[in-house]
């Protein structure tokens, strides 16, 4: 029983459907369990294997054939609607593999966050943005808004950034890769330490971004995300965003300490620090 052949062939069959979630709903298999089949971590039980074969109209032994042979069979099978097949999309395959290998259930991280880091445009100030981690079609995303304002405690005035990113958990770390949605001229990458407690409070790590100056240098800063919960007033949160003095009483002391961009004696690289 070759689990890798099964994984490759299931991914091919799933491309004939609108989404993996649709496949799971139609068959009646848990999405996380199906992801394990797609990543070759495990093979279906006899009962689930029968359901899969019946759903896709294939034989059990065919699912474990080498991908090249299975692909030829499927292309010739009249029960398959070839017009619905997506063409070869390397970028889709790449993302699918990343998502399938996401090593942690991210559902506990869903909810609102304040995002803190030292602003490159105003080096002596702290920027507080607001974002939400949410699930859509079995994938997790992070959308956040930053308002660059010089009026402390206010969200009015200055510039606005809107960022949307894909959230993944790989190798015991949380990764967010996204882009700025208004200007469409930069990408942002976060690498965060996960929390191993049941209750989420603060996530810390590094953010790779572009400076707000005319020269647009790549920059790396320490970042902290303070959890607000699954239910939070978005308007209230946005009104609390903006830029703050580095010693502002509106920013908690552990946040201030956690986003200082210093290198300790003996360190040769810029490192994220766990909470």
């Amino acid at each position: 029983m070759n689990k890798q052949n099964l994984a490759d062939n299931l991914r091919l069959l799933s491309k004939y459907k609108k989404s993996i979630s649709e496949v799971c709903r139609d068959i009646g298999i848990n999405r996380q369990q199906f992801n394990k089949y797609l990543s070759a971590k495990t093979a279906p039980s006899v009962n689930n294997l029968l359901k899969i074969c019946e759903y896709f109209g294939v034989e059990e032994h065919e699912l474990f054939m080498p991908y090249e042979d299975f692909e030829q069979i499927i292309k010739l099978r009249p029960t398959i609607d070839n017009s619905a097949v997506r063409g070869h999309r390397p970028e889709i395959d790449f993302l699918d593999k990343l998502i399938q290998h996401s090593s942690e259930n991210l559902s506990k991280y869903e909810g609102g966050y304040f995002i803190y880091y030292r602003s490159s445009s105003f080096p002596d100030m702290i920027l507080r943005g607001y974002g939400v981690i949410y699930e859509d079609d079995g994938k997790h995303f992070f959308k956040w808004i930053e308002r660059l304002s010089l009026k402390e405690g206010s969200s009015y005035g200055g510039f606005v950034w809107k960022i949307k990113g894909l959230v993944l958990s790989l190798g015991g770390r949380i990764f967010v890769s996204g882009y700025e949605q208004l200007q469409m001229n930069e990408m942002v990458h976060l690498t965060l330490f996960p929390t191993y407690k049941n209750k989420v409070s603060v996530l810390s790590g590094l953010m790779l971004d572009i400076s707000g100056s005319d020269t647009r240098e790549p920059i790396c800063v320490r970042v902290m995300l303070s959890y607000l919960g699954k239910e939070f007033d978005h308007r209230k949160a946005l009104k609390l965003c903006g830029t703050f003095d580095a010693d502002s009483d509106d920013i908690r002391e552990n946040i201030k300490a956690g986003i200082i961009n210093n290198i300790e004696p003996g360190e040769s690289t810029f490192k994220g620090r766990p909470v």
Side-chain angles (χ1 to χ4, degrees):
M1 183 180 291
N2 191 313
K3 289 187 287 188
Q4 188 58 58
N5 284 352
L6 172 69
D8 294 340
N9 295 338
L10 282 178
R11 279 197 294 271
L12 173 63
L13 289 171
S14 297
K15 290 179 180 179
Y16 288 81
K17 302 297 180 180
K18 292 180 180 179
S19 66
I20 299 295
S21 294
E22 178 190 60
V23 172
C24 294
R25 286 194 299 268
D26 291 347
I27 299 176
I29 293 179
N30 179 274
R31 172 64 188 265
Q32 291 183 355
Q33 185 64 36
F34 196 76
N35 281 343
K36 292 180 180 179
Y37 306 156
L38 294 175
S39 61
K41 291 181 179 179
T42 187
S45 65
V46 174
N47 185 46
N48 282 348
L49 188 60
L50 290 173
K51 290 181 180 179
I52 291 170
C53 290
E54 181 178 354
Y55 178 69
F56 287 113
V58 297
E59 299 295 331
E60 180 179 335
H61 73 276
E62 292 175 337
L63 278 177
F64 294 94
M65 294 173 62
Y67 176 82
E68 294 78 9
D69 297 335
F70 184 74
E71 184 181 31
Q72 294 304 314
I73 291 176
I74 294 304
K75 284 182 177 179
L76 298 174
R77 186 149 295 175
T79 56
I80 296 293
D81 180 10
N82 288 296
S83 64
V85 181
R86 295 180 294 182
H88 180 59
R89 298 284 300 277
E91 71 278 15
I92 298 299
D93 292 342
F94 174 76
L95 286 174
D96 281 347
K97 285 184 178 180
L98 283 179
I99 293 167
Q100 291 159 16
H101 284 83
S102 189
S103 57
E104 183 177 358
N105 183 356
L106 293 168
S107 61
K108 76 174 182 178
Y109 298 103
E110 294 171 7
Y113 293 82
F114 279 137
I115 303 101
Y116 296 92
Y117 63 93
R118 298 296 285 264
S119 168
S120 63
S121 300
F122 303 98
D124 296 328
M125 307 195 78
I126 294 173
L127 189 148
R128 176 161 66 190
Y130 171 66
V132 178
I133 292 179
Y134 64 97
E135 185 270 337
D136 183 17
D137 193 24
K139 306 174 184 66
H140 279 85
F141 298 91
F142 191 23
K143 292 182 70 173
W144 81 89
I145 296 177
E146 298 175 0
R147 298 182 185 273
L148 197 58
S149 170
L150 290 177
K151 182 181 178 184
E152 183 162 322
S154 170
S155 63
Y156 300 101
F159 301 96
V160 177
W161 280 266
K162 291 185 178 181
I163 301 100
K164 180 176 181 179
L166 178 68
V167 185
L168 296 168
S169 174
L170 298 167
R173 296 292 176 263
I174 297 174
F175 298 88
V176 182
S177 290
Y179 66 98
E180 203 286 317
Q181 294 181 285
L182 297 179
Q183 299 297 323
M184 295 290 290
N185 62 358
E186 65 180 280
M187 292 191 69
V188 180
H189 306 278
L190 281 71
T191 302
L192 304 169
F193 290 96
T195 175
Y196 295 102
K197 301 176 182 178
N198 291 330
K199 185 178 180 180
V200 181
S201 57
V202 177
L203 302 176
S204 68
L206 296 178
M207 178 169 67
L208 184 63
D209 196 3
I210 298 293
S211 74
S213 66
D214 292 337
T215 52
R216 291 174 53 78
E217 306 99 336
I219 61 170
C220 183
V221 298
R222 291 194 174 94
V223 63
M224 295 189 75
L225 277 64
S226 178
Y227 189 55
L228 301 174
K230 292 186 182 293
E231 301 294 335
F232 199 81
D233 188 323
H234 300 300
R235 291 185 178 181
K236 178 180 178 181
L238 288 172
K239 287 182 179 180
L240 295 173
C241 293
T243 49
F244 300 79
D245 290 335
D247 59 355
S248 171
D249 293 335
D250 290 316
I251 309 297
R252 299 203 311 265
E253 292 301 321
N254 67 319
I255 298 292
K256 296 176 187 176
I259 58 175
I260 295 176
N261 296 312
N262 64 329
I263 295 181
E264 298 290 347
E267 293 182 341
S268 59
T269 58
F270 191 62
K271 299 178 181 179
R273 292 173 180 152
V275 178

